[in-house]
Amino acid sequence: MINPDFEKMGGLIPAIIQDHITRQVLMLGYMNEESFKKTQETGLVTFYSRSRKCLWTKGESSGNFLHVKDMYIDCDNDTILIKAQPDGPTCHKGTTSCFDFDESNIGFLSYLQQFIDKRNVERPAGSYTTKLFREGVNKIAKKVGEEAVELIIESKDNNDDLFLNEAADMLYFTIVLLSAKGKKIEDVVSILKGRHKE
């Protein structure tokens, strides 16, 4: 349970909205106590419009609602971070984010991990990923080894397209192997962060 300090900021606090899968920052709005409570009650991000002086639920006119997945408060209790699932473009200009940058490519690895984990659980027929899981860890590990060799071979040539495709294959099979072992790409990132020195 988070308890924002609305009085500290004169009744309004900033709320940063982040895509819960890609982690891309989507927008920033302002909340008062009433809009915060409505957000909690409905599960839809609701702001206080400073220009119209009223509550507005994001998506009420466009249909591009922001579904709350998680909420966090900062260390001073005066800024909220909301991880949300967007129904469509967040910006009124029709773009994913109100900010003129895109970091979703890196965030896609988290999405891919979740997708592969789901395949591991559901095992739908006709899926290549399902086929890999059914063949077992040894077969998946062998594919990682094969892709590693192919990546090395392509790195010695000057065909960037082939090299990048082999790197993509390597990442895919590595994430499948992580899932088969009950691990995630985030676990690998945690190790890299722990090793990192400024």
Side-chain angles (χ1 to χ4, degrees):
M1 184 69 177
I2 64 175
N3 296 298
D5 189 348
F6 291 98
E7 290 184 13
K8 178 180 178 182
M9 301 292 284
L12 291 177
I13 61 173
I16 302 162
I17 313 302
Q18 182 183 43
D19 188 299
H20 81 112
I21 292 176
T22 68
R23 299 178 185 168
Q24 182 178 15
V25 175
L26 301 177
M27 67 174 295
L28 179 137
Y30 289 85
M31 289 185 170
N32 63 7
E33 194 164 0
E34 187 181 0
S35 66
F36 175 70
K37 286 179 180 175
K38 187 174 179 184
T39 297
Q40 288 182 308
E41 290 167 3
T42 65
L44 298 174
V45 176
T46 300
F47 297 107
Y48 177 79
S49 171
R50 294 170 296 163
S51 57
R52 290 179 286 148
K53 311 293 184 193
C54 65
L55 300 187
W56 66 283
T57 299
K58 182 73 176 92
E60 61 190 13
S61 57
S62 66
N64 296 329
F65 294 99
L66 294 168
H67 301 269
V68 176
K69 295 298 181 181
D70 221 335
M71 298 177 78
Y72 302 89
I73 192 79
D74 77 336
C75 56
D76 293 321
N77 291 328
D78 58 15
T79 302
I80 298 172
L81 172 66
I82 298 176
K83 293 190 174 185
Q85 173 66 53
D87 279 339
T90 299
C91 184
H92 69 283
K93 293 183 176 181
T95 55
T96 300
S97 171
C98 291
F99 297 94
D100 190 21
F101 71 97
D102 185 2
E103 63 183 20
S104 60
N105 284 348
I106 293 298
F108 179 76
L109 287 178
S110 290
Y111 166 78
L112 184 60
Q113 177 75 70
Q114 290 179 33
F115 181 84
I116 288 171
D117 287 345
K118 190 175 178 185
R119 281 283 194 264
N120 194 7
V121 171
E122 296 176 353
R123 306 281 177 100
S127 162
Y128 178 69
T129 308
T130 295
K131 179 177 177 287
L132 287 171
F133 283 125
R134 286 185 176 149
E135 289 175 345
V137 170
N138 288 345
K139 187 75 171 182
I140 299 168
K142 183 180 175 187
K143 287 297 294 181
V144 172
E146 290 170 1
E147 293 304 330
V149 171
E150 290 176 17
L151 180 62
I152 291 166
I153 291 168
E154 292 303 335
S155 72
K156 296 180 178 297
D157 295 328
N158 293 318
N159 189 322
D160 289 345
D161 186 57
L162 288 176
F163 170 69
L164 289 173
N165 272 280
E166 292 302 339
D169 288 346
M170 179 79 177
L171 277 172
Y172 164 74
F173 286 110
T174 298
I175 293 173
V176 172
L177 183 59
L178 285 165
S179 183
K181 297 286 290 180
K183 305 300 179 186
K184 296 182 179 296
I185 193 72
E186 289 87 352
D187 298 325
V188 178
V189 172
S190 293
I191 290 172
L192 290 172
K193 284 170 69 176
R195 292 176 180 176
H196 180 67
K197 305 295 181 197
E198 291 293 336

